[in-house]
PDB file of all heavy atoms in Angstrom:
ATOM      1  N   PHE A  19       0.856  -1.207   0.031  1.00  0.00           N
ATOM      2  CA  PHE A  19       0.006  -0.009  -0.016  1.00  0.00           C
ATOM      3  C   PHE A  19       0.843   1.244  -0.012  1.00  0.00           C
ATOM      4  O   PHE A  19       2.107   1.123   0.146  1.00  0.00           O
ATOM      5  CB  PHE A  19      -0.936  -0.013   1.230  1.00  0.00           C
ATOM      6  CG  PHE A  19      -0.229  -0.080   2.531  1.00  0.00           C
ATOM      7  CD1 PHE A  19       0.136   1.055   3.197  1.00  0.00           C
ATOM      8  CD2 PHE A  19       0.172  -1.310   3.114  1.00  0.00           C
ATOM      9  CE1 PHE A  19       0.762   0.998   4.485  1.00  0.00           C
ATOM     10  CE2 PHE A  19       0.836  -1.371   4.274  1.00  0.00           C
ATOM     11  CZ  PHE A  19       1.151  -0.222   4.932  1.00  0.00           C
ATOM     12  N   THR A  20       0.248   2.367  -0.198  1.00  0.00           N
ATOM     13  CA  THR A  20       0.928   3.712  -0.059  1.00  0.00           C
ATOM     14  C   THR A  20       0.694   4.326   1.237  1.00  0.00           C
ATOM     15  O   THR A  20      -0.435   4.426   1.678  1.00  0.00           O
ATOM     16  CB  THR A  20       0.581   4.565  -1.204  1.00  0.00           C
ATOM     17  OG1 THR A  20       0.698   4.019  -2.459  1.00  0.00           O
ATOM     18  CG2 THR A  20       1.226   5.926  -1.156  1.00  0.00           C
ATOM     19  N   ASP A  21       1.775   4.581   2.014  1.00  0.00           N
ATOM     20  CA  ASP A  21       1.573   5.138   3.402  1.00  0.00           C
ATOM     21  C   ASP A  21       1.310   6.568   3.319  1.00  0.00           C
ATOM     22  O   ASP A  21       1.150   7.214   2.209  1.00  0.00           O
ATOM     23  CB  ASP A  21       2.775   4.808   4.194  1.00  0.00           C
ATOM     24  CG  ASP A  21       4.048   5.549   3.884  1.00  0.00           C
ATOM     25  OD1 ASP A  21       3.926   6.460   3.068  1.00  0.00           O
ATOM     26  OD2 ASP A  21       5.085   5.269   4.475  1.00  0.00           O
ATOM     27  N   GLN A  22       1.069   7.126   4.502  1.00  0.00           N
ATOM     28  CA  GLN A  22       0.653   8.529   4.584  1.00  0.00           C
ATOM     29  C   GLN A  22       1.657   9.534   4.121  1.00  0.00           C
ATOM     30  O   GLN A  22       1.462  10.701   3.889  1.00  0.00           O
ATOM     31  CB  GLN A  22       0.192   8.856   6.014  1.00  0.00           C
ATOM     32  CG  GLN A  22      -1.006   8.092   6.465  1.00  0.00           C
ATOM     33  CD  GLN A  22      -1.580   8.514   7.768  1.00  0.00           C
ATOM     34  OE1 GLN A  22      -1.362   9.640   8.234  1.00  0.00           O
ATOM     35  NE2 GLN A  22      -2.179   7.601   8.502  1.00  0.00           N
ATOM     36  N   GLY A  23       2.976   9.028   3.996  1.00  0.00           N
ATOM     37  CA  GLY A  23       4.081   9.863   3.490  1.00  0.00           C
ATOM     38  C   GLY A  23       4.194   9.727   1.981  1.00  0.00           C
ATOM     39  O   GLY A  23       5.124  10.222   1.363  1.00  0.00           O
ATOM     40  N   GLY A  24       3.284   8.862   1.327  1.00  0.00           N
ATOM     41  CA  GLY A  24       3.318   8.674  -0.116  1.00  0.00           C
ATOM     42  C   GLY A  24       4.339   7.655  -0.494  1.00  0.00           C
ATOM     43  O   GLY A  24       4.658   7.539  -1.743  1.00  0.00           O
ATOM     44  N   ARG A  25       4.892   6.867   0.498  1.00  0.00           N
ATOM     45  CA  ARG A  25       5.836   5.845   0.051  1.00  0.00           C
ATOM     46  C   ARG A  25       5.110   4.530  -0.214  1.00  0.00           C
ATOM     47  O   ARG A  25       4.146   4.170   0.514  1.00  0.00           O
ATOM     48  CB  ARG A  25       6.836   5.602   1.266  1.00  0.00           C
ATOM     49  CG  ARG A  25       7.805   6.778   1.522  1.00  0.00           C
ATOM     50  CD  ARG A  25       8.473   6.684   2.847  1.00  0.00           C
ATOM     51  NE  ARG A  25       7.619   6.873   3.929  1.00  0.00           N
ATOM     52  CZ  ARG A  25       7.445   7.990   4.621  1.00  0.00           C
ATOM     53  NH1 ARG A  25       8.172   8.966   4.306  1.00  0.00           N
ATOM     54  NH2 ARG A  25       6.535   8.059   5.615  1.00  0.00           N
ATOM     55  N   ASP A  26       5.539   3.821  -1.233  1.00  0.00           N
ATOM     56  CA  ASP A  26       4.952   2.486  -1.499  1.00  0.00           C
ATOM     57  C   ASP A  26       5.774   1.405  -0.642  1.00  0.00           C
ATOM     58  O   ASP A  26       6.985   1.245  -0.756  1.00  0.00           O
ATOM     59  CB  ASP A  26       5.214   2.161  -2.980  1.00  0.00           C
ATOM     60  CG  ASP A  26       4.323   2.995  -3.928  1.00  0.00           C
ATOM     61  OD1 ASP A  26       3.238   3.446  -3.502  1.00  0.00           O
ATOM     62  OD2 ASP A  26       4.739   3.300  -5.012  1.00  0.00           O
ATOM     63  N   VAL A  27       4.885   0.843   0.224  1.00  0.00           N
ATOM     64  CA  VAL A  27       5.545  -0.056   1.213  1.00  0.00           C
ATOM     65  C   VAL A  27       4.726  -1.399   1.161  1.00  0.00           C
ATOM     66  O   VAL A  27       3.682  -1.463   0.628  1.00  0.00           O
ATOM     67  CB  VAL A  27       5.483   0.467   2.636  1.00  0.00           C
ATOM     68  CG1 VAL A  27       6.304   1.770   2.674  1.00  0.00           C
ATOM     69  CG2 VAL A  27       4.070   0.803   3.038  1.00  0.00           C
ATOM     70  N   ALA A  28       5.394  -2.411   1.702  1.00  0.00           N
ATOM     71  CA  ALA A  28       4.795  -3.789   1.785  1.00  0.00           C
ATOM     72  C   ALA A  28       5.103  -4.459   3.073  1.00  0.00           C
ATOM     73  O   ALA A  28       6.262  -4.298   3.583  1.00  0.00           O
ATOM     74  CB  ALA A  28       5.216  -4.635   0.505  1.00  0.00           C
ATOM     75  N   LEU A  29       4.180  -5.220   3.586  1.00  0.00           N
ATOM     76  CA  LEU A  29       4.453  -6.096   4.710  1.00  0.00           C
ATOM     77  C   LEU A  29       5.476  -7.212   4.178  1.00  0.00           C
ATOM     78  O   LEU A  29       5.293  -7.757   3.069  1.00  0.00           O
ATOM     79  CB  LEU A  29       3.218  -6.815   5.177  1.00  0.00           C
ATOM     80  CG  LEU A  29       2.202  -5.897   5.897  1.00  0.00           C
ATOM     81  CD1 LEU A  29       0.921  -6.560   6.198  1.00  0.00           C
ATOM     82  CD2 LEU A  29       2.796  -5.508   7.292  1.00  0.00           C
ATOM     83  N   THR A  30       6.485  -7.439   4.925  1.00  0.00           N
ATOM     84  CA  THR A  30       7.545  -8.318   4.484  1.00  0.00           C
ATOM     85  C   THR A  30       7.019  -9.781   4.192  1.00  0.00           C
ATOM     86  O   THR A  30       6.584 -10.407   5.087  1.00  0.00           O
ATOM     87  CB  THR A  30       8.721  -8.358   5.436  1.00  0.00           C
ATOM     88  OG1 THR A  30       8.181  -8.684   6.776  1.00  0.00           O
ATOM     89  CG2 THR A  30       9.393  -6.987   5.520  1.00  0.00           C
ATOM     90  N   PRO A  31       7.299 -10.173   2.956  1.00  0.00           N
ATOM     91  CA  PRO A  31       6.869 -11.626   2.616  1.00  0.00           C
ATOM     92  C   PRO A  31       7.931 -12.635   2.952  1.00  0.00           C
ATOM     93  O   PRO A  31       7.645 -13.872   2.933  1.00  0.00           O
ATOM     94  CB  PRO A  31       6.579 -11.538   1.132  1.00  0.00           C
ATOM     95  CG  PRO A  31       7.640 -10.540   0.643  1.00  0.00           C
ATOM     96  CD  PRO A  31       7.667  -9.514   1.741  1.00  0.00           C
ATOM     97  N   GLU A  32       9.238 -12.182   3.164  1.00  0.00           N
ATOM     98  CA  GLU A  32      10.303 -13.081   3.597  1.00  0.00           C
ATOM     99  C   GLU A  32      11.328 -12.223   4.165  1.00  0.00           C
ATOM    100  O   GLU A  32      11.296 -10.973   4.151  1.00  0.00           O
ATOM    101  CB  GLU A  32      10.800 -13.828   2.295  1.00  0.00           C
ATOM    102  CG  GLU A  32      11.300 -12.871   1.227  1.00  0.00           C
ATOM    103  CD  GLU A  32      12.001 -13.498   0.049  1.00  0.00           C
ATOM    104  OE1 GLU A  32      12.767 -14.406   0.346  1.00  0.00           O
ATOM    105  OE2 GLU A  32      11.780 -13.118  -1.081  1.00  0.00           O
ATOM    106  N   LEU A  33      12.365 -12.949   4.731  1.00  0.00           N
ATOM    107  CA  LEU A  33      13.415 -12.129   5.441  1.00  0.00           C
ATOM    108  C   LEU A  33      14.683 -11.908   4.582  1.00  0.00           C
ATOM    109  O   LEU A  33      15.302 -10.896   4.849  1.00  0.00           O
ATOM    110  CB  LEU A  33      13.817 -12.873   6.726  1.00  0.00           C
ATOM    111  CG  LEU A  33      14.614 -12.047   7.731  1.00  0.00           C
ATOM    112  CD1 LEU A  33      13.901 -10.880   8.264  1.00  0.00           C
ATOM    113  CD2 LEU A  33      15.278 -12.932   8.845  1.00  0.00           C
ATOM    114  N   THR A  34      14.915 -12.736   3.689  1.00  0.00           N
ATOM    115  CA  THR A  34      16.197 -12.690   3.007  1.00  0.00           C
ATOM    116  C   THR A  34      16.504 -11.268   2.406  1.00  0.00           C
ATOM    117  O   THR A  34      17.608 -10.719   2.618  1.00  0.00           O
ATOM    118  CB  THR A  34      16.267 -13.754   1.939  1.00  0.00           C
ATOM    119  OG1 THR A  34      16.039 -15.028   2.487  1.00  0.00           O
ATOM    120  CG2 THR A  34      17.709 -13.787   1.333  1.00  0.00           C
ATOM    121  N   PRO A  35      15.657 -10.602   1.657  1.00  0.00           N
ATOM    122  CA  PRO A  35      15.952  -9.262   1.160  1.00  0.00           C
ATOM    123  C   PRO A  35      16.295  -8.273   2.353  1.00  0.00           C
ATOM    124  O   PRO A  35      17.139  -7.490   2.269  1.00  0.00           O
ATOM    125  CB  PRO A  35      14.755  -8.854   0.444  1.00  0.00           C
ATOM    126  CG  PRO A  35      14.162 -10.076   0.015  1.00  0.00           C
ATOM    127  CD  PRO A  35      14.353 -11.045   1.094  1.00  0.00           C
ATOM    128  N   THR A  36      15.594  -8.369   3.494  1.00  0.00           N
ATOM    129  CA  THR A  36      15.808  -7.550   4.594  1.00  0.00           C
ATOM    130  C   THR A  36      17.170  -7.720   5.216  1.00  0.00           C
ATOM    131  O   THR A  36      17.861  -6.804   5.461  1.00  0.00           O
ATOM    132  CB  THR A  36      14.646  -7.714   5.643  1.00  0.00           C
ATOM    133  OG1 THR A  36      13.424  -7.353   5.171  1.00  0.00           O
ATOM    134  CG2 THR A  36      15.038  -6.899   6.911  1.00  0.00           C
ATOM    135  N   VAL A  37      17.586  -8.981   5.440  1.00  0.00           N
ATOM    136  CA  VAL A  37      18.935  -9.235   6.014  1.00  0.00           C
ATOM    137  C   VAL A  37      20.013  -8.796   4.967  1.00  0.00           C
ATOM    138  O   VAL A  37      21.039  -8.392   5.399  1.00  0.00           O
ATOM    139  CB  VAL A  37      19.109 -10.570   6.545  1.00  0.00           C
ATOM    140  CG1 VAL A  37      18.254 -10.863   7.750  1.00  0.00           C
ATOM    141  CG2 VAL A  37      18.818 -11.681   5.469  1.00  0.00           C
ATOM    142  N   ALA A  38      19.741  -8.958   3.696  1.00  0.00           N
ATOM    143  CA  ALA A  38      20.644  -8.496   2.763  1.00  0.00           C
ATOM    144  C   ALA A  38      20.871  -7.021   2.808  1.00  0.00           C
ATOM    145  O   ALA A  38      22.006  -6.508   2.788  1.00  0.00           O
ATOM    146  CB  ALA A  38      20.187  -8.882   1.271  1.00  0.00           C
ATOM    147  N   ARG A  39      19.718  -6.319   2.988  1.00  0.00           N
ATOM    148  CA  ARG A  39      19.853  -4.795   3.172  1.00  0.00           C
ATOM    149  C   ARG A  39      20.643  -4.475   4.404  1.00  0.00           C
ATOM    150  O   ARG A  39      21.467  -3.569   4.367  1.00  0.00           O
ATOM    151  CB  ARG A  39      18.351  -4.202   3.247  1.00  0.00           C
ATOM    152  CG  ARG A  39      18.339  -2.761   3.510  1.00  0.00           C
ATOM    153  CD  ARG A  39      16.998  -2.236   3.658  1.00  0.00           C
ATOM    154  NE  ARG A  39      16.142  -2.926   4.733  1.00  0.00           N
ATOM    155  CZ  ARG A  39      16.412  -2.761   6.078  1.00  0.00           C
ATOM    156  NH1 ARG A  39      17.348  -1.993   6.505  1.00  0.00           N
ATOM    157  NH2 ARG A  39      15.584  -3.362   6.935  1.00  0.00           N
ATOM    158  N   MET A  40      20.387  -5.215   5.493  1.00  0.00           N
ATOM    159  CA  MET A  40      21.095  -4.937   6.749  1.00  0.00           C
ATOM    160  C   MET A  40      22.592  -5.147   6.589  1.00  0.00           C
ATOM    161  O   MET A  40      23.441  -4.469   7.128  1.00  0.00           O
ATOM    162  CB  MET A  40      20.536  -5.836   7.815  1.00  0.00           C
ATOM    163  CG  MET A  40      19.107  -5.406   8.285  1.00  0.00           C
ATOM    164  SD  MET A  40      18.364  -6.554   9.403  1.00  0.00           S
ATOM    165  CE  MET A  40      19.396  -6.360  10.882  1.00  0.00           C
ATOM    166  N   VAL A  41      22.981  -6.297   5.847  1.00  0.00           N
ATOM    167  CA  VAL A  41      24.379  -6.587   5.671  1.00  0.00           C
ATOM    168  C   VAL A  41      25.028  -5.534   4.878  1.00  0.00           C
ATOM    169  O   VAL A  41      26.109  -5.014   5.153  1.00  0.00           O
ATOM    170  CB  VAL A  41      24.557  -7.932   5.052  1.00  0.00           C
ATOM    171  CG1 VAL A  41      26.019  -8.162   4.679  1.00  0.00           C
ATOM    172  CG2 VAL A  41      24.146  -9.069   6.036  1.00  0.00           C
ATOM    173  N   VAL A  42      24.419  -5.068   3.875  1.00  0.00           N
ATOM    174  CA  VAL A  42      24.916  -3.899   2.956  1.00  0.00           C
ATOM    175  C   VAL A  42      25.107  -2.677   3.808  1.00  0.00           C
ATOM    176  O   VAL A  42      26.185  -2.037   3.610  1.00  0.00           O
ATOM    177  CB  VAL A  42      23.983  -3.679   1.761  1.00  0.00           C
ATOM    178  CG1 VAL A  42      24.455  -2.442   1.050  1.00  0.00           C
ATOM    179  CG2 VAL A  42      23.951  -4.889   0.795  1.00  0.00           C
ATOM    180  N   ALA A  43      24.218  -2.449   4.661  1.00  0.00           N
ATOM    181  CA  ALA A  43      24.279  -1.172   5.445  1.00  0.00           C
ATOM    182  C   ALA A  43      25.448  -1.157   6.376  1.00  0.00           C
ATOM    183  O   ALA A  43      26.036  -0.087   6.613  1.00  0.00           O
ATOM    184  CB  ALA A  43      22.893  -0.930   6.251  1.00  0.00           C
ATOM    185  N   ARG A  44      25.844  -2.270   6.909  1.00  0.00           N
ATOM    186  CA  ARG A  44      26.870  -2.311   7.926  1.00  0.00           C
ATOM    187  C   ARG A  44      28.010  -3.371   7.687  1.00  0.00           C
ATOM    188  O   ARG A  44      28.622  -3.753   8.572  1.00  0.00           O
ATOM    189  CB  ARG A  44      26.353  -2.480   9.349  1.00  0.00           C
ATOM    190  CG  ARG A  44      25.497  -1.265   9.839  1.00  0.00           C
ATOM    191  CD  ARG A  44      25.274  -1.415  11.309  1.00  0.00           C
ATOM    192  NE  ARG A  44      24.485  -0.248  11.740  1.00  0.00           N
ATOM    193  CZ  ARG A  44      24.086  -0.112  13.014  1.00  0.00           C
ATOM    194  NH1 ARG A  44      24.413  -0.983  13.984  1.00  0.00           N
ATOM    195  NH2 ARG A  44      23.214   0.854  13.413  1.00  0.00           N
ATOM    196  N   GLY A  45      28.010  -3.767   6.445  1.00  0.00           N
ATOM    197  CA  GLY A  45      28.866  -4.895   6.107  1.00  0.00           C
ATOM    198  C   GLY A  45      30.304  -4.769   6.476  1.00  0.00           C
ATOM    199  O   GLY A  45      30.983  -5.692   6.873  1.00  0.00           O
ATOM    200  N   GLN A  46      30.838  -3.495   6.397  1.00  0.00           N
ATOM    201  CA  GLN A  46      32.222  -3.276   6.658  1.00  0.00           C
ATOM    202  C   GLN A  46      32.546  -3.299   8.243  1.00  0.00           C
ATOM    203  O   GLN A  46      33.664  -3.432   8.698  1.00  0.00           O
ATOM    204  CB  GLN A  46      32.692  -1.994   6.134  1.00  0.00           C
ATOM    205  CG  GLN A  46      32.564  -1.857   4.643  1.00  0.00           C
ATOM    206  CD  GLN A  46      33.305  -2.971   3.905  1.00  0.00           C
ATOM    207  OE1 GLN A  46      34.477  -3.222   4.127  1.00  0.00           O
ATOM    208  NE2 GLN A  46      32.594  -3.639   3.005  1.00  0.00           N
TER     209      GLN A  46
END
């Protein structure tokens, strides 16, 4: 759905993309 800030968001259907994002953010 589109949230009140106009962002297109989704309830997470799986974890793998999220943990990938987390590793990229602090990988070093």
Side-chain angles (χ1 to χ4, degrees):
F19 57 95
T20 301
D21 71 8
Q22 294 183 31
R25 293 169 288 263
D26 291 329
V27 297
L29 290 169
T30 50
E32 59 172 318
L33 190 68
T34 306
T36 294
V37 291
R39 175 182 59 72
M40 292 173 65
V41 171
V42 170
R44 295 194 181 179
Q46 300 306 309

